[in-house]
Amino acid sequence: MTLPTEAGVERALDSLVRDVPDFPRPGVVFKDISPLLADPHGLSVTVDALSEQVRDVTAGGALDAVLGIEARGFILAAPVALALRTGFVPVRKQGKLPGPSHAVSYELEYGQATLELHRGAVTAGQRVVLLDDVLATGGTVEATLDLLHRTGVEVAGVVVLLELSFLGGRERLGGVPLRSVRTI
Ligand code: AMP
């Protein structure tokens, strides 16, 4: 499906985000943004809407970088950083960053995960926004905020494309402002 160019971001999300039941495990309805990314107009209105939310959460003030969480967060955070003429900083899964890194481990529903950030990638005195595709339980964003607070950087806010509000993720952000393009 190709979206007409006048369609807004709500219509793009409604028609181009695919629900995949029981992925990656039974009981989870996975929000697949691949069709949205593949649609030229869908991608463009998505990046515009996310950029607007980043601008809103920074209240037009300083913005030194947009951080994206591997992997889908990278796809969205990099073009948003470009649109806002700021930098992009990756938060990566364990073992991918070549330099000395900060690391945080956190509990997933099954097992544990570790995220890493290069030391010196963000520093005290800077102001950043954290961006991801989906806020579900909030565990991933909570862990990343823990990592960022250790660096002394100011986190102006968290921006997500889709917030699954029934999972209560926003309660885990410790007061850091959250902006969602779409709340489900
Ligand atoms: P969370 O439960 O908020 O820690 O979500 C963990 C990560 O998994 C997030 O970065 C999301 O991108 C992804 N995720 C969690 N639940 C879903 C879902 N239902 N559909 C798509 N991605 C999801």
Side-chain angles (χ1 to χ4, degrees), residues 128-152:
V128 300
V129 166
L130 178 62
L131 195 147
D132 204 1
D133 65 333
V134 174
L135 183 77
T137 66
T140 303
V141 169
E142 180 185 39
T144 306
L145 289 174
D146 175 7
L147 202 58
L148 290 172
H149 291 327
R150 290 186 222 163
T151 70

Side-chain angles (χ1 to χ4, degrees), residues 2 6 10 19 24 69 74 84 94 108 142 173 179 183:
T2 303
E6 71 278 8
E10 292 81 11
D19 281 358
I69 303 174
F74 290 1
L84 298 177
Q94 190 171 31
L108 295 174
E142 180 185 39
L173 307 192
R179 298 283 187 280
T183 302

Side-chain angles (χ1 to χ4, degrees), residues 26-37:
V28 174
V29 178
F30 188 83
K31 299 287 182 186
D32 178 20
I33 63 168
S34 309
L36 180 72
L37 299 174

